[in-house]
Amino acid sequence: HARAGRRVVRLKGGDPHLCSRGAEEAVALTARGIAVEVTPGVTAATAAGAASGLRRGASITVASGNHDPAGPVVDWASLGRDRGDGALVVLTGRAHQRQVADGLVGGGRDRATPAAVVASAGRPQIAVRPTPLGDLGAVRLPPPAAVVVAPDRPGGGRAHP
């Protein structure tokens, strides 16, 4: 349709490149001589963080929860050792919530660390399920869903949702 001079829109919610396939799609189209214009939206990392009800701290780490054998591997244990005052947001990892939680706990995060699964962040049908990190694998919400893990409080205390 684009080659025939028609305007084609690929509408994707949120940020089309952050932990998503938007960049690959743009490269593939450009390689075929099709002009691409990207208009980003509000990333689910921000929308889920705001909706989670968790203390977000001084910084945020965003990671992809997809386990793509052809893509980079996230070192969950390393993120579990990060004892700073920052929150962690995991995008597109709904199918791997248990592995994410196990990796973070294996790296040193307390199983009781407050977390939340946020489905359809920034949309009218939003759903939020608070849970301790150790129980993250049992929470099932429909896609798209993000996971927010609260930061440690300075001095070793935990944040509470």
Side-chain angles (χ1 to χ4, degrees):
H1 290 282
R3 286 188 180 126
R6 295 184 187 99
R7 181 170 293 196
V8 178
V9 175
R10 158 74 156 94
L11 184 61
K12 179 173 181 346
D15 185 315
H17 290 188
L18 185 62
C19 299
S20 183
R21 300 261 184 223
E24 289 100 341
E25 292 174 9
V27 167
L29 291 168
T30 302
R32 289 174 177 78
I34 299 171
V36 174
E37 178 182 338
V38 176
T39 304
V42 174
T43 175
T46 303
S52 71
L54 299 175
R55 191 176 73 80
R56 285 165 295 287
S59 64
I60 183 171
T61 298
V62 180
S64 173
N66 276 336
H67 292 271
D68 181 356
V73 177
V74 176
D75 184 351
W76 297 111
S78 177
L79 290 175
R81 285 188 293 274
D82 178 10
R83 310 306 289 192
D85 192 34
L88 171 64
V89 178
V90 181
L91 300 178
T92 67
R94 189 179 73 90
H96 304 286
Q97 289 172 190
R98 184 173 313 279
Q99 293 94 323
V100 169
D102 289 348
L104 294 172
V105 169
R109 287 282 174 107
D110 189 320
R111 294 179 55 79
T113 300
V117 179
V118 182
S120 298
R123 296 179 177 177
Q125 65 270 31
I126 189 170
V128 180
R129 297 293 182 272
T131 182
L133 178 61
D135 295 339
L136 186 62
V139 178
R140 289 288 171 235
L141 289 177
V147 172
V148 181
V149 180
D152 290 343
R153 284 184 183 253
R158 299 286 177 200
H160 297 284

